[in-house]
Amino acid sequence: MDKMVGGESMEAVKGSGISFRYEWDGSAPFVLDGLSIAIEKGQFVAILGPNGCGKSTLAKHLNALLPLQSGSLTVAGLDVREEKQVWELRRLCGMVFQNPENQFVSSVVEEDVAFGLENYDTPPNEIPGRVSRALEQVGMTGFEKRSPHLLSGGQKQRIALAGVLAMEPELIVFDEATAMLDPVGREEILECMKILAQRGKTVIMITHYVEEAVEADRVILMNRGTILADGKPQEVLTSRELLEQCGLSVPMPVQLYDDLAKLGIRLGHCPLTKEELVEELCQLN
Amino acid sequence: MSIELKQVSCSYNFRTKQEILALNGISMKIEDGEFVGIMGHTGSGKSTLVQLIAGLIRPNSGQVFLDGKDINERGYDRNNLHRQVGIVFQNPEYQLFETTVAKDVAFGLKHSGLRKEEACERVRQALEQMGFSYDDIADASPFALSGGEKRRVAIAGVLAARPKTLIFDEPIAGLDPEGRRQFLELVRKLNREGVSILMVSHHADSICACAERVLVLEQGSLVLDGSPKAVFADLERTSRLHIGASQPRQIAELLIQSGIPFSRDIVRYEDLLDELKNRWKGGTRCE
């Protein structure tokens, strides 16, 4: 596995027996507790869980921001423990964090997007092309000379994403990347995730919003450092028992389906989205 | 306490070439005990507005009155103002700095003139209000807590001063549903006990569930001021203002678009369920 170059393995992420605790004192609890995970290339996966369940800790293992304490983990075909490969690993596994403002390094959009490329000794003649392609992918062409901190939240986050895309990663991890955004910004970022997934990138969305997890192909539900459930949104997100067990609630359409059933109004299928709900309600006529 | 703004304008980089007008001639009044939601696009002036009310920045023109007194007049007791108006910033967890949770929560009380026992009691109560067991958490390092826990500790630090008006700037971003539910329950309870609440949020569902009144800002101007039902009546307008709409309101709109006669007055889950129940009793549609 160590020798395998990114691009040959079928799995974007493969880890087993991952345990981790923050060593701030001797009795720190396990934040990840023997967790195993496999994500195929090209999948759009939501990792869903409450605050403190370990989902961000897991995310930070994917590109070796946190060192692996036990178990094994391979991302984009690279062993995260191989220190020599850590730069390549971080190029192949891009990350977008919660607060876009914390990640800007330049006061000009195009310079900010180029920052990673420059650090990776990309030939200077390639940089402008890659920056403009990255901006195009996030719909921010025309903003090259603007100042990132004068943009809206969604635009800022898309610039941060462009900086990641310029590196041509194989997988992109969004660590609660929509949490600080207004509804429009949130839509913009979700749309970017969907487009990237359609283009064959592996997209991992870390979130505690069930409404966002609905958009993924697969939902991994985490609680207390382990995986509680793993399946299609339709399976995981309709289970009140599972979600409530870890302090989350079902999406509102599922809640309505249940509450209407109690009132004797039965819908044909349990809807996950507002659109499906309305379709089901129209069937009642 | 009542809050009144008269023709308040506020700029950053005032009288320089980079001057940005953040608030443009705002006038409004908030009565004692109200629960007001404040919404608007990024950069519309929400944070500037609440910081003016908390006396953290001064307007370039216009006046801010608390209980009828201009807070920017010479001689106004600003120490008293900061005790009476508590503000919880975005990401309050970044403000934690003490070695233990109890010390951090007590910090704001240091120069309040309270006796030590009284101060300790307030810290205990504030932590308990935020859902902690005092004995479990008091001696822990605030930096060893999870993000959601840190935020609750930071809010406890503001509650300990027992303010009459509480301002929250984007308090729920980043909280999970359980954290959100607990937080909203707390602010509702504080409001019932007589504390005025001003809550800046992008989260229309939470605003609709709690606030009696919603202020919407756009480019430094107050463009809407009314009940959640009134503010979210026109979804084209709310989308243009970047404030979205609560999920129940969106579902109602989709039903209307599908040709089902349905009320536009629905912003809360309970109202949606009621309306659906009335329309489809026993699985058939009732006209």
Side-chain angles (χ1 to χ4, degrees):
Chain A
M1 281 302 273
D2 289 357
K3 296 285 170 218
M4 196 175 269
V5 198
E8 289 172 21
S9 158
M10 278 309 291
E11 265 154 352
V13 176
K14 182 155 182 60
S16 66
I18 303 169
S19 292
F20 184 86
R21 47 179 161 183
Y22 291 94
E23 295 292 340
W24 57 278
D25 78 9
S27 63
F30 281 104
V31 180
L32 296 177
D33 199 355
L35 178 144
S36 295
I37 187 170
I39 294 172
E40 268 172 46
K41 245 185 210 174
Q43 266 191 340
F44 181 8
V45 181
I47 298 181
L48 178 71
N51 289 134
C53 74
K55 56 192 193 299
S56 287
T57 302
L58 175 63
K60 288 182 184 131
H61 276 81
L62 297 178
N63 62 359
L65 288 178
L66 287 174
L68 195 62
Q69 291 175 349
S70 63
S72 66
L73 178 62
T74 314
V75 175
L78 301 174
D79 187 329
V80 298
R81 279 171 304 196
E82 275 302 320
E83 280 184 35
K84 280 182 203 147
Q85 299 173 332
V86 76
W87 288 94
E88 182 62 359
L89 172 68
R90 288 180 185 159
R91 185 185 73 74
L92 290 171
C93 176
M95 269 199 155
V96 181
F97 296 96
Q98 188 176 100
N99 197 340
E101 278 164 59
N102 292 350
Q103 26 193 344
F104 290 130
V105 292
S106 167
S107 54
V108 183
V109 164
E110 60 179 6
E111 287 176 16
D112 193 82
V113 175
F115 182 75
L117 292 172
E118 285 165 359
N119 274 316
Y120 274 80
D121 284 336
T122 311
N125 59 345
E126 279 183 27
I127 291 179
R130 284 173 71 168
V131 169
S132 70
R133 274 198 302 281
L135 286 171
E136 193 196 328
Q137 285 186 65
V138 297
M140 291 295 285
T141 303
F143 286 79
E144 288 81 358
K145 305 288 181 198
R146 298 277 289 274
S147 174
H149 58 268
L150 296 179
L151 303 174
S152 74
Q155 288 172 332
K156 280 178 192 166
Q157 199 59 296
R158 284 190 282 157
I159 295 300
L161 174 58
V164 169
L165 294 179
M167 307 302 295
E168 296 171 357
E170 274 189 21
L171 66 157
I172 302 138
V173 182
F174 293 83
D175 190 0
E176 304 208 26
T178 62
M180 302 298 289
L181 304 180
D182 68 22
V184 176
R186 178 166 294 178
E187 271 307 310
E188 289 170 6
I189 295 302
L190 278 174
E191 196 53 36
C192 284
M193 291 186 204
K194 284 188 233 167
I195 290 170
L196 290 169
Q198 280 162 15
R199 290 181 184 164
K201 296 276 186 199
T202 310
V203 176
I204 299 175
M205 172 212 287
I206 312 277
T207 185
H208 54 242
Y209 293 108
V210 282
E211 294 80 15
E212 289 182 358
V214 165
E215 307 283 349
D217 304 326
R218 172 181 169 197
V219 179
I220 295 174
L221 181 64
M222 272 185 75
N223 195 27
R224 296 185 187 167
T226 57
I227 291 175
L228 192 62
D230 182 353
K232 290 200 180 331
Q234 192 60 249
E235 297 157 11
V236 179
L237 300 177
T238 51
S239 168
R240 178 183 299 268
E241 204 187 327
L242 275 175
L243 292 169
E244 285 183 355
Q245 200 177 325
C246 47
L248 300 173
S249 36
V250 292
M252 192 176 285
V254 178
Q255 172 83 40
L256 261 181
Y257 172 85
D258 289 351
D259 286 345
L260 286 173
K262 279 181 211 150
L263 296 166
I265 304 172
R266 294 191 192 282
L267 303 181
H269 294 95
C270 180
L272 268 186
T273 64
K274 294 187 282 284
E275 288 74 16
E276 287 169 24
L277 169 74
V278 168
E279 218 169 276
E280 290 295 337
L281 284 169
C282 289
Q283 305 275 318
L284 287 179
N285 282 333
Chain B
M1 81 195 315
S2 75
I3 300 164
E4 188 172 10
L5 271 67
K6 279 190 183 160
Q7 285 301 321
V8 169
S9 293
C10 189
S11 301
Y12 293 103
N13 305 323
F14 188 48
R15 287 184 182 144
T16 69
K17 276 188 181 165
Q18 289 85 38
E19 178 167 343
I20 298 164
L21 187 62
L23 287 180
N24 188 7
I26 297 225
S27 297
M28 59 145 184
K29 191 163 187 199
I30 295 171
E31 300 296 343
D32 191 24
E34 277 196 79
F35 194 135
V36 179
I38 301 174
M39 303 188 81
H41 194 10
T42 316
S44 61
K46 309 182 293 289
S47 296
T48 305
L49 176 69
V50 292
Q51 288 177 35
L52 274 167
I53 293 171
L56 299 177
I57 51 177
R58 291 169 190 266
N60 301 128
S61 62
Q63 291 138 319
V64 181
F65 297 94
L66 294 185
D67 284 336
K69 286 187 188 136
D70 184 341
I71 63 168
N72 295 300
E73 282 229 311
R74 210 175 273 274
Y76 185 86
D77 182 357
R78 296 183 76 86
N79 282 337
N80 187 42
L81 163 74
H82 296 315
R83 269 197 287 279
Q84 297 209 348
V85 181
I87 181 163
V88 178
F89 296 102
Q90 278 180 48
N91 301 110
E93 55 275 20
Y94 296 167
Q95 294 160 234
L96 300 173
F97 70 101
E98 274 284 12
T99 48
T100 71
V101 166
K103 281 188 193 169
D104 206 294
V105 174
F107 184 76
L109 300 177
K110 264 190 175 167
H111 301 291
S112 60
L114 288 177
R115 280 182 304 114
K116 206 181 168 199
E117 302 77 50
E118 165 79 351
C120 280
E121 185 51 32
R122 284 196 181 192
V123 170
R124 173 185 289 274
Q125 277 193 8
L127 282 168
E128 281 169 0
Q129 271 181 303
M130 289 315 297
F132 290 110
S133 146
Y134 176 86
D135 297 326
D136 288 352
I137 195 101
D139 294 328
S141 161
F143 301 100
L145 306 174
S146 79
E149 289 169 334
K150 281 183 192 165
R151 183 168 303 195
R152 278 153 57 206
V153 168
I155 295 174
V158 175
L159 291 182
R162 305 218 174 132
K164 288 184 182 163
T165 295
L166 255 175
I167 298 172
F168 293 95
D169 193 352
E170 207 61 75
I172 29 204
L175 288 186
D176 65 20
E178 182 59 18
R180 199 155 68 205
R181 196 188 58 72
Q182 286 174 1
F183 171 79
L184 294 177
E185 210 164 89
L186 170 84
V187 283
R188 275 197 216 119
K189 182 164 164 284
L190 288 166
N191 184 241
R192 278 197 303 273
E193 290 166 0
V195 179
S196 309
I197 307 280
L198 275 63
M199 184 165 99
V200 175
S201 179
H202 288 309
H203 199 255
D205 281 285
S206 301
I207 293 277
C208 287
C210 292
E212 301 146 357
R213 178 177 170 195
V214 184
L215 306 177
V216 184
L217 296 176
E218 186 187 29
Q219 292 182 8
S221 298
L222 182 62
V223 289
L224 287 174
D225 178 355
S227 66
K229 283 178 186 178
V231 163
F232 291 102
D234 178 352
L235 289 195
E236 265 175 39
R237 182 173 64 185
T238 58
S239 159
R240 203 174 58 240
L241 293 169
H242 278 243
I243 62 173
S246 62
Q247 290 189 68
R249 178 68 189 87
Q250 292 177 34
I251 290 169
E253 191 69 16
L254 285 172
L255 285 167
I256 295 167
Q257 282 169 11
S258 313
I260 294 169
F262 213 75
S263 167
R264 283 197 160 81
D265 258 357
I266 284 165
V267 293
R268 295 184 188 205
Y269 183 79
E270 302 78 47
D271 302 337
L272 175 65
L273 189 60
D274 268 353
E275 179 87 5
L276 288 172
K277 184 173 68 182
N278 292 336
R279 198 157 289 282
W280 279 291
K281 265 185 204 126
T284 50
R285 186 170 161 191
C286 313
E287 290 301 334

